Amino acid sequence: MEQREIVVIGGGPAGLSAALQAAHSGARVTIIEGEKRLGGQLIKQTHMFFGSHKQHAGTRGIDIATLLENELRALPNVEIILGATVLGYYYEDGALTIEDHEAFRLMIPKRLIVASGASEKFLAFPNNDLPGVYGAGAVQTLMNVYGVKPAQRVLMIGAGNIGLIVSYQLLQAGVEVAAVLEAAPQISGYLVHASKILRLGVPILTRHSIKEALGKHTVEGAIIHRLDDRWQPVPHSEQQITCDTICLAVGLSPLCDLLWQAGCAMQYIAELGGYVALRDEGMQTSVPGIYVAGDAAGVEEASAAMVEGSLAGLSAALSLGYNSPADEELTAELRQQLDDLRAGPGGAKIRSGLEKLHPTADNPKEVT
């Protein structure tokens, strides 16, 4: 059994921030990432961030990943394990089973921070298994990580921030975007992203969804239709669109397998993407010593994930006795940053979800 002080699972924006804050507090930190490099979703993001300078506003996501990684590697009390997968958590003794380059390791941390991110949701429609049906994350990986042009003409499904941003990145890569479909009556992404693609002539069709994909061996087109106020197809509203790729940007689900294994109290909250762990203001779950941050705690923007990660890292370090007179002030500042990021109409969905994140006497069955 390998003993560790703080283990962070996930090297994305939340995990990097958690590891940095815990290490700056004086704790010895091990960060485990399944890919061969740190950064998570940040390495796919070529757009500039919003927020304040504390969340690297005005900096591209891929550059934020480099900044955080360089800062982390400069710290002597940080261990980085890449290309390793945490397979399981044994609640009897708090041990992690890790597959590290075809070898297995057992590791027991005093504190565990789960920043494992989220997985893409999918849509059920005829022929959705044709080659040419992608998740938006796969399209971003091809374009922004490997420099591969993924298509000639794309139909985008979903007008949240991911769908809008990836549509613009496709246009930058010389790919034609036939249309962006959104089942809701209005887009859920930021208007600044929508305006970019609208100015370039891409229609955003609200109250529309895909009926089926067309093609024998690969995607050759799609049939779309309008939806009524009850989210049902409007008769005789079908249109055929020619495209060679259908890109799905219909949301994310938190990756919480390890939290389930650890016995954390979980609650289904649609606004946060699915099942999430109950936690306190310091991001500690119902299981003492286990913390959660980022999309694993509820699907949100990367800026909020970084702040949540910092809060979880600070809380974990404080619980081990690492503290300074400024920690109370820093904790309050991080919580205020989260409030600021979630303020306004754009954060209404997240605020609504967070308000439900506590069991009530009227609805105790929400908590598992």
Side-chain angles (χ1 to χ4, degrees), residues 10 28 54 62 65 198 205 225 249 281 299 304 315 364:
R28 295 184 297 278
K54 295 175 182 177
I62 190 169
L198 286 170
L205 306 178
H225 53 197
E281 289 187 338
V299 176
S315 300

Side-chain angles (χ1 to χ4, degrees), residues 307-337:
V307 180
E308 281 189 343
S310 296
L311 187 56
L314 178 61
S315 300
L318 288 173
S319 72
L320 290 171
Y322 295 98
N323 55 69
S324 70
D327 285 334
E328 185 174 341
E329 181 180 344
L330 178 57
T331 299
E333 180 185 335
L334 291 171
R335 290 174 182 164
Q336 185 60 54
Q337 287 182 37

Side-chain angles (χ1 to χ4, degrees), residues 41 116-122 251-257 273 295-296 299:
Q41 296 301 314
S116 47
S119 61
E120 289 190 286
K121 293 181 179 178
F122 209 65
L252 304 169
S253 296
L255 285 171
C256 296
D257 306 63
D295 282 348
V299 176

Side-chain angles (χ1 to χ4, degrees), residues 18 112-113 278-285 289-293 297 307-319 331 334-335 338 358:
L112 177 65
I113 301 174
L278 301 185
R279 66 272 191 172
D280 61 19
E281 289 187 338
M283 305 305 293
Q284 183 172 220
T285 69
I290 298 182
Y291 300 77
V292 66
V307 180
E308 281 189 343
S310 296
L311 187 56
L314 178 61
S315 300
L318 288 173
S319 72
T331 299
L334 291 171
R335 290 174 182 164
L338 281 175
H358 304 285

Side-chain angles (χ1 to χ4, degrees), residues 2 60 87 122 142 155 208 213 225 229 270 277 328 330 338 353:
E2 302 177 33
R60 300 185 187 278
L87 299 176
F122 209 65
L142 286 171
L155 174 64
H208 278 74
H225 53 197
D229 293 340
E328 185 174 341
L330 178 57
L338 281 175

Side-chain angles (χ1 to χ4, degrees), residues 10-329:
L16 288 170
S17 300
L20 275 171
Q21 186 57 61
H24 281 311
S25 297
R28 295 184 297 278
V29 180
T30 297
I31 183 168
I32 303 173
E33 166 57 42
E35 299 297 328
K36 296 180 180 180
R37 63 168 293 185
L38 295 170
Q41 296 301 314
L42 291 174
I43 67 172
K44 306 176 185 179
Q45 297 174 353
T46 58
H47 60 282
M48 294 183 181
F49 272 40
F50 298 134
S52 71
H53 71 280
K54 295 175 182 177
Q55 291 93 45
H56 307 281
T59 305
R60 300 185 187 278
I62 190 169
D63 295 326
I64 295 173
T66 301
L67 289 170
L68 296 178
E69 179 178 1
N70 290 343
E71 186 178 353
L72 199 62
R73 288 188 180 278
L75 298 174
N77 52 333
V78 173
E79 175 188 21
I80 299 173
I81 302 176
L82 299 177
T85 302
V86 180
L87 299 176
Y89 178 90
Y90 296 89
Y91 63 86
E92 297 89 348
D93 53 11
L96 299 170
T97 302
I98 303 166
E99 183 183 14
D100 185 3
H101 297 87
E102 299 184 358
F104 288 93
R105 305 169 67 172
L106 286 175
M107 191 176 290
I108 298 182
K110 293 181 179 178
R111 300 291 184 270
L112 177 65
I113 301 174
V114 178
S116 47
S119 61
E120 289 190 286
K121 293 181 179 178
F122 209 65
L123 278 182
F125 54 87
N127 294 325
N128 68 355
D129 58 347
L130 278 173
V133 179
Y134 288 91
V139 169
Q140 275 192 309
T141 299
L142 286 171
M143 285 194 302
N144 301 340
V145 179
Y146 296 110
V148 174
K149 185 177 179 180
Q152 298 298 324
R153 181 175 166 87
V154 171
L155 174 64
M156 178 66 66
I157 314 297
N161 282 326
I162 294 177
L164 298 173
I165 289 170
V166 174
S167 293
Y168 185 65
Q169 292 173 349
L170 283 163
L171 293 167
Q172 289 179 305
V175 177
E176 185 180 358
V177 179
V180 178
L181 307 187
E182 173 56 56
Q186 64 279 322
I187 66 170
S188 57
Y190 294 141
L191 292 178
V192 65
H193 297 315
S195 64
K196 288 181 179 180
I197 62 174
L198 286 170
R199 286 197 299 267
L200 293 172
V202 177
I204 299 177
L205 306 178
T206 56
R207 285 293 193 197
H208 278 74
S209 188
I210 183 170
K211 181 179 180 180
E212 66 176 292
L214 302 175
K216 185 175 181 181
H217 301 293
T218 62
V219 170
E220 298 174 7
I223 296 177
I224 67 173
H225 53 197
R226 285 192 292 118
L227 303 176
D228 61 22
D229 293 340
R230 296 176 299 167
W231 303 78
Q232 298 301 308
V234 175
H236 312 299
S237 64
E238 292 86 356
Q239 302 178 51
Q240 183 169 329
I241 290 183
T242 301
C243 60
D244 63 355
T245 297
I246 297 168
C247 184
L248 303 177
V250 292
L252 304 169
S253 296
L255 285 171
C256 296
D257 306 63
L258 293 171
L259 298 171
W260 283 105
Q261 291 179 17
C264 298
M266 307 292 290
Q267 185 173 347
Y268 184 87
I269 300 178
E271 294 90 339
L272 300 181
Y275 276 100
V276 293
L278 301 185
R279 66 272 191 172
D280 61 19
E281 289 187 338
M283 305 305 293
Q284 183 172 220
T285 69
S286 62
V287 177
I290 298 182
Y291 300 77
V292 66
D295 282 348
V299 176
E300 208 168 344
E301 295 300 310
S303 297
M306 288 188 283
V307 180
E308 281 189 343
S310 296
L311 187 56
L314 178 61
S315 300
L318 288 173
S319 72
L320 290 171
Y322 295 98
N323 55 69
S324 70
D327 285 334
E328 185 174 341
E329 181 180 344

